[in-house]
Amino acid sequence: MGKGRKERSLPLWKTTKHYLEAFLKETEIHEDNYVFTSRQGKQLTRSGVTYRLAYLVKTASKSCPSLRQKRITPHVLRYTTAMHLLEAGVDISTIAIWLGHESIETTHKYMVADLRLKEQALAQTKEPQTLRFRYQPPSYILSFPDYCDLLC
């Protein structure tokens, strides 16, 4: 169940599927049980996911100290996945479905956010061929009083 109590189904990478199947077998979890539960054995909430992720990041930062300076949240993982899909060339409407966005406008912010994608798009275009010159007025215009006499 996702945000708004909507049921969500997402594809998994083959390696993720392999590890998940092994986990289910090891823990003897059945189809009618929650895969990830709280301490009380109930459905894991959004705050529970945040808590577990923070714990895992803290544990991992012991062997990878650079993690201490990073802000890693479930939303950051979600955003990162969306950006990887976008960089891989996945259509924005597919990403919107993947993220469960009701409107593609919500997903559009990912397009606006990535400077690398903008640089790649710019690299695929040609610079306009313009002539560089500075305007040089004819000599009679520079002699304005004489020019004025010609007109009057």
Side-chain angles (χ1 to χ4, degrees):
M1 297 297 274
K3 188 176 176 183
R5 305 222 185 282
K6 295 179 186 172
E7 188 172 315
R8 310 231 187 216
S9 298
L10 294 172
L12 300 173
W13 283 298
K14 289 178 183 177
T15 52
T16 305
K17 181 182 175 214
H18 170 75
Y19 286 119
L20 190 55
E21 285 172 341
F23 175 76
L24 294 174
K25 193 174 193 177
E26 179 183 317
T27 55
E28 298 180 1
I29 293 175
H30 304 286
E31 279 187 34
D32 55 342
N33 296 3
Y34 294 115
V35 176
F36 304 107
T37 58
S38 66
R39 285 186 202 167
Q40 295 82 23
K42 296 182 180 178
Q43 181 179 5
L44 192 61
T45 63
R46 287 171 36 188
S47 60
V49 171
T50 302
Y51 176 81
R52 285 227 182 138
L53 182 59
Y55 174 79
L56 293 170
V57 169
K58 184 178 178 182
T59 303
S61 67
K62 292 174 185 171
S63 59
C64 184
S66 66
L67 288 174
R68 291 184 191 124
Q69 282 75 39
K70 298 183 190 265
R71 184 173 178 263
I72 301 172
T73 65
H75 185 74
V76 168
L77 295 179
R78 176 181 164 85
Y79 178 83
T80 302
T81 301
M83 292 308 300
H84 285 307
L85 291 169
L86 188 60
E87 289 172 355
V90 176
D91 180 69
I92 191 165
S93 58
T94 304
I95 297 171
I97 292 167
W98 183 292
L99 295 175
H101 290 163
E102 289 186 19
S103 168
I104 199 164
E105 305 303 322
T106 308
T107 314
H108 188 263
K109 65 184 173 185
Y110 295 103
M111 294 287 291
V112 175
D114 192 19
L115 182 59
R116 278 185 299 176
L117 285 177
K118 292 176 184 176
E119 289 172 344
Q120 289 172 357
L122 184 62
Q124 292 176 4
T125 61
K126 290 184 179 179
E127 288 193 39
Q129 298 298 317
T130 58
L131 300 175
R132 295 186 136 203
F133 67 92
R134 184 177 171 105
Y135 175 73
Q136 294 292 323
S139 60
Y140 63 86
I141 290 179
L142 294 176
S143 59
F144 185 71
D146 297 332
Y147 181 66
C148 203
D149 289 341
L150 290 173
L151 293 176
C152 297

mmCIF file of all heavy atoms in Angstrom, residues 1-8 43 46 78 99-100 102:
data_model
loop_
_atom_site.group_PDB
_atom_site.id
_atom_site.type_symbol
_atom_site.label_atom_id
_atom_site.label_comp_id
_atom_site.label_asym_id
_atom_site.label_seq_id
_atom_site.Cartn_x
_atom_site.Cartn_y
_atom_site.Cartn_z
ATOM 1 N N MET A 1 0.845 -1.183 0.000
ATOM 2 C CA MET A 1 0.000 0.000 0.000
ATOM 3 C C MET A 1 0.883 1.235 0.000
ATOM 4 O O MET A 1 1.858 1.308 0.726
ATOM 5 C CB MET A 1 -0.891 0.018 1.238
ATOM 6 C CG MET A 1 -1.867 -1.127 1.326
ATOM 7 S SD MET A 1 -3.059 -1.124 0.005
ATOM 8 C CE MET A 1 -4.280 -0.052 0.673
ATOM 9 N N GLY A 2 0.515 2.175 -0.824
ATOM 10 C CA GLY A 2 1.289 3.401 -0.931
ATOM 11 C C GLY A 2 0.550 4.585 -0.352
ATOM 12 O O GLY A 2 -0.475 4.444 0.320
ATOM 13 N N LYS A 3 1.078 5.756 -0.649
ATOM 14 C CA LYS A 3 0.489 7.004 -0.202
ATOM 15 C C LYS A 3 -0.961 7.077 -0.685
ATOM 16 O O LYS A 3 -1.265 6.689 -1.807
ATOM 17 C CB LYS A 3 1.303 8.155 -0.777
ATOM 18 C CG LYS A 3 0.936 9.501 -0.265
ATOM 19 C CD LYS A 3 1.895 10.517 -0.861
ATOM 20 C CE LYS A 3 1.522 11.920 -0.452
ATOM 21 N NZ LYS A 3 2.418 12.896 -1.082
ATOM 22 N N GLY A 4 -1.835 7.551 0.150
ATOM 23 C CA GLY A 4 -3.245 7.622 -0.213
ATOM 24 C C GLY A 4 -3.930 6.268 -0.176
ATOM 25 O O GLY A 4 -4.974 6.064 -0.771
ATOM 26 N N ARG A 5 -3.301 5.314 0.501
ATOM 27 C CA ARG A 5 -3.820 3.951 0.635
ATOM 28 C C ARG A 5 -4.062 3.279 -0.720
ATOM 29 O O ARG A 5 -4.971 2.491 -0.902
ATOM 30 C CB ARG A 5 -5.090 3.928 1.477
ATOM 31 C CG ARG A 5 -4.937 4.548 2.840
ATOM 32 C CD ARG A 5 -5.645 3.718 3.880
ATOM 33 N NE ARG A 5 -5.631 4.328 5.193
ATOM 34 C CZ ARG A 5 -4.597 4.323 6.033
ATOM 35 N NH1 ARG A 5 -3.466 3.781 5.680
ATOM 36 N NH2 ARG A 5 -4.685 4.862 7.219
ATOM 37 N N LYS A 6 -3.224 3.633 -1.688
ATOM 38 C CA LYS A 6 -3.330 3.021 -3.016
ATOM 39 C C LYS A 6 -2.433 1.790 -3.072
ATOM 40 O O LYS A 6 -1.310 1.811 -2.573
ATOM 41 C CB LYS A 6 -2.880 4.004 -4.094
ATOM 42 C CG LYS A 6 -3.772 5.221 -4.216
ATOM 43 C CD LYS A 6 -3.222 6.132 -5.284
ATOM 44 C CE LYS A 6 -3.999 7.426 -5.352
ATOM 45 N NZ LYS A 6 -3.353 8.377 -6.247
ATOM 46 N N GLU A 7 -2.936 0.763 -3.689
ATOM 47 C CA GLU A 7 -2.132 -0.435 -3.871
ATOM 48 C C GLU A 7 -1.157 -0.188 -5.018
ATOM 49 O O GLU A 7 -1.540 0.295 -6.078
ATOM 50 C CB GLU A 7 -3.012 -1.637 -4.192
ATOM 51 C CG GLU A 7 -2.225 -2.927 -4.206
ATOM 52 C CD GLU A 7 -3.114 -4.144 -4.333
ATOM 53 O OE1 GLU A 7 -4.136 -4.208 -3.633
ATOM 54 O OE2 GLU A 7 -2.757 -5.014 -5.137
ATOM 55 N N ARG A 8 0.090 -0.490 -4.800
ATOM 56 C CA ARG A 8 1.122 -0.240 -5.809
ATOM 57 C C ARG A 8 1.859 -1.536 -6.123
ATOM 58 O O ARG A 8 2.132 -2.329 -5.240
ATOM 59 C CB ARG A 8 2.131 0.772 -5.301
ATOM 60 C CG ARG A 8 1.464 2.006 -4.751
ATOM 61 C CD ARG A 8 2.018 3.219 -5.324
ATOM 62 N NE ARG A 8 1.427 4.348 -4.624
ATOM 63 C CZ ARG A 8 1.123 5.466 -5.199
ATOM 64 N NH1 ARG A 8 1.355 5.622 -6.458
ATOM 65 N NH2 ARG A 8 0.597 6.436 -4.522
ATOM 66 N N GLN A 43 2.148 -3.829 9.944
ATOM 67 C CA GLN A 43 2.631 -3.223 8.706
ATOM 68 C C GLN A 43 3.607 -2.095 9.023
ATOM 69 O O GLN A 43 3.359 -1.277 9.914
ATOM 70 C CB GLN A 43 1.446 -2.680 7.916
ATOM 71 C CG GLN A 43 1.829 -2.052 6.606
ATOM 72 C CD GLN A 43 0.608 -1.544 5.841
ATOM 73 O OE1 GLN A 43 -0.509 -1.578 6.333
ATOM 74 N NE2 GLN A 43 0.844 -1.076 4.644
ATOM 75 N N ARG A 46 5.410 4.597 7.152
ATOM 76 C CA ARG A 46 6.397 5.471 6.500
ATOM 77 C C ARG A 46 7.464 5.921 7.489
ATOM 78 O O ARG A 46 8.652 5.958 7.162
ATOM 79 C CB ARG A 46 5.689 6.681 5.886
ATOM 80 C CG ARG A 46 4.911 6.297 4.664
ATOM 81 C CD ARG A 46 4.004 7.353 4.106
ATOM 82 N NE ARG A 46 4.489 8.704 4.186
ATOM 83 C CZ ARG A 46 3.753 9.760 3.881
ATOM 84 N NH1 ARG A 46 2.518 9.601 3.475
ATOM 85 N NH2 ARG A 46 4.245 10.970 3.971
ATOM 86 N N ARG A 78 13.786 7.566 -3.575
ATOM 87 C CA ARG A 78 12.736 7.633 -4.597
ATOM 88 C C ARG A 78 13.129 8.588 -5.721
ATOM 89 O O ARG A 78 13.030 8.271 -6.899
ATOM 90 C CB ARG A 78 11.449 8.088 -3.906
ATOM 91 C CG ARG A 78 10.260 8.315 -4.769
ATOM 92 C CD ARG A 78 9.112 8.778 -3.856
ATOM 93 N NE ARG A 78 8.034 9.383 -4.578
ATOM 94 C CZ ARG A 78 7.043 8.715 -5.138
ATOM 95 N NH1 ARG A 78 6.989 7.404 -5.037
ATOM 96 N NH2 ARG A 78 6.092 9.338 -5.786
ATOM 97 N N LEU A 99 6.231 6.226 -10.204
ATOM 98 C CA LEU A 99 6.204 6.937 -8.927
ATOM 99 C C LEU A 99 4.800 7.056 -8.341
ATOM 100 O O LEU A 99 4.639 7.444 -7.190
ATOM 101 C CB LEU A 99 6.795 8.345 -9.108
ATOM 102 C CG LEU A 99 8.277 8.400 -9.482
ATOM 103 C CD1 LEU A 99 8.683 9.839 -9.752
ATOM 104 C CD2 LEU A 99 9.148 7.782 -8.404
ATOM 105 N N GLY A 100 3.791 6.741 -9.148
ATOM 106 C CA GLY A 100 2.423 6.837 -8.678
ATOM 107 C C GLY A 100 1.883 8.250 -8.692
ATOM 108 O O GLY A 100 0.939 8.571 -7.971
ATOM 109 N N GLU A 102 -0.281 11.249 -9.922
ATOM 110 C CA GLU A 102 -1.558 11.365 -10.621
ATOM 111 C C GLU A 102 -1.437 12.278 -11.825
ATOM 112 O O GLU A 102 -2.164 12.143 -12.797
ATOM 113 C CB GLU A 102 -2.635 11.881 -9.671
ATOM 114 C CG GLU A 102 -3.014 10.837 -8.634
ATOM 115 C CD GLU A 102 -4.180 11.265 -7.776
ATOM 116 O OE1 GLU A 102 -4.915 12.181 -8.184
ATOM 117 O OE2 GLU A 102 -4.355 10.676 -6.708
#
